Amino acid sequence: MTPVLPEKQYDTMLLNVGPSHPSTHGVLRVLVELDGEVIVRAMPDLGYLHRGIEKLCENRTYHQCIPLMNRLDYLAGEVNNFGFCLAVEKLLGIEVPKRAQYIRVIIAELTRIASHIFWLGTHAHDLGAMTPLFYGFREREKIMDLCEMVSGGRMFPAYFRIGGVAADLPEGFVPEALAFVKDFPNKWKDYDTLLTENPIWKKRTVGVGVMTREECLDWGWSGPMARGSGVDWDLRRDNPYSSYEDFDFNIPLGTREGDVYSRYLVRMQEMLESAKIVRQALEKLPKGDIKVDDPRISLPPKEKVYTDIAALINHFKLIQEGVTPPKGEVYQAIEAPKGEMGFYIVSDGSGRPWRIKIRRPSFVVLNATDKLARGRLLADLIALIGTMDIVLADVDC
């Protein structure tokens, strides 16, 4: 990187932060130009985790893409699958049964809470507070236990399917999930008590990383990052999918001019709203199918595969060839924990996607690192990276 300031007038220093620094939350390298402790320029260097997921999908059936989507934002794997399945279903022109829609909402909102908890704990830990991390993992473990109940997996559940979900909720899930969301506000108070009015926390976060509402729109921000600056936009409410319109919830907005503290407050409130949505979905969970009744899309019941030749052939063809959407293109976005996650898919009518492009919220917000950091102290860079809630697997698709 060529120094911004002329060498004869100033002596600046180039400093590498990462790619293996714990506060960069993965393999992120930020090349920082410093004038003393003041940041002159901060350039993120990406690509250490690039796996070519979009390209890999072109050689797989649509269902085989689901495990790859799990590994984008791996802290919210089911939410990635949610968006991908919705996009393929839009191509197919189908709508999954109501019970499956509610189950998807339950899993997605539990995942949102787990993702925000992980962000809260690591962000606070970066700035010197360790206790929120321990408290947060207490609740996150319970959510991972619930995910394990439905899918057998914790980090990479892969529970969603094109056309519905893999299986119905197991016995005991509903009462355990209800108990969790009813108790969660009490646990949430622990985080709130530790941080919200903590003078050290406020000194590290108030007035740091300010973005106005207009700047957020210019940079393409979405999710809690944009709502922290007052951008009143949430896809769950403004472009509802999967029956979100059936639930009563609020969209928290920042109370300050878009600084690190404001985004903290937004994510804190969002956890409570997600718990509220999960509680409503569990209490109103409809009966019925958990996947579309269409042999071109859903696998037949396993017992029929062993006794019915037509079901066996159907099973074989779906596994070998996958679903075959008609020729066309589609874009479907969802409100992921980190903001708008969108899937643009082009179909050539075969069982494999011709092209996939994924809009990852972590990638979008990371672009503004230099703007946020210029003129701040080096210590503020850690708060700025933390407030973005990035996952490098989501950045390097």
Side-chain angles (χ1 to χ4, degrees), residues 39-66:
I39 297 173
V40 177
R41 192 158 54 144
M43 300 301 294
D45 184 19
L46 315 177
Y48 291 91
L49 199 54
H50 184 66
R51 297 148 295 163
I53 284 181
E54 291 168 343
K55 198 68 182 172
L56 287 171
C57 289
E58 296 174 12
N59 294 307
R60 283 161 173 76
T61 65
Y62 287 92
H63 269 119
Q64 287 172 337
C65 296
I66 290 176

Side-chain angles (χ1 to χ4, degrees), residues 128-340:
M130 294 183 68
T131 309
L133 182 69
F134 302 141
Y135 282 179
F137 271 61
R138 179 184 59 190
E139 277 68 68
R140 183 170 177 267
E141 276 298 303
K142 293 178 182 174
I143 294 175
M144 294 182 78
D145 289 343
L146 290 169
C147 288
E148 191 175 5
M149 283 180 73
V150 298
S151 68
R154 295 170 69 82
M155 282 293 286
F156 304 114
Y159 175 56
F160 289 11
R161 294 288 185 275
I162 297 164
V165 292
D168 208 343
L169 296 175
E171 188 178 352
F173 177 88
V174 172
E176 287 203 28
L178 265 176
F180 172 78
V181 292
K182 285 178 181 174
D183 186 45
F184 181 72
N186 296 324
K187 304 296 185 186
W188 179 91
K189 287 177 185 171
D190 291 340
Y191 321 144
D192 185 57
T193 303
L194 283 167
L195 292 177
T196 302
E197 295 303 326
N198 185 317
I200 301 173
W201 176 253
K202 294 179 80 169
K203 280 193 174 182
R204 294 297 306 272
T205 56
V206 173
V208 178
V210 173
M211 286 282 274
T212 65
R213 179 182 178 280
E214 289 70 26
E215 287 171 334
C216 287
L217 295 174
D218 288 344
W219 283 84
W221 281 15
S222 58
M225 293 294 287
R227 290 193 286 272
S229 299
V231 178
D232 191 8
W233 178 254
D234 189 305
L235 287 166
R236 295 172 296 173
R237 180 198 63 192
D238 300 314
N239 192 13
Y241 51 90
S242 197
S243 297
Y244 267 108
E245 65 274 15
D246 293 355
F247 309 116
D248 176 32
F249 61 100
N250 300 313
I251 306 300
L253 296 177
T255 56
R256 297 174 182 272
E257 197 58 35
D259 56 9
V260 173
Y261 188 72
S262 179
R263 293 186 277 272
Y264 155 77
L265 294 177
V266 167
R267 289 193 179 100
M268 285 286 283
Q269 291 301 318
E270 283 191 358
M271 286 193 278
L272 293 179
E273 294 301 321
S274 291
K276 191 196 298 183
I277 294 171
V278 174
R279 183 171 179 172
Q280 292 174 61
L282 288 167
E283 290 173 345
K284 297 193 291 186
L285 187 63
K287 297 185 183 305
D289 296 331
I290 48 95
K291 55 187 175 184
V292 291
D293 185 16
D294 187 332
R296 297 169 303 168
I297 296 165
S298 301
L299 290 172
K302 200 67 177 176
E303 58 274 16
K304 286 190 72 177
V305 174
Y306 296 129
T307 56
D308 185 339
I309 185 63
L312 177 63
I313 293 171
N314 171 216
H315 182 100
F316 178 79
K317 284 180 70 66
L318 262 182
I319 293 297
Q320 289 297 312
E321 300 172 5
V323 298
T324 52
K327 285 184 180 179
E329 54 189 284
V330 70
Y331 179 77
Q332 173 69 47
I334 59 163
E335 191 67 37
K338 295 170 175 55
E340 178 179 336

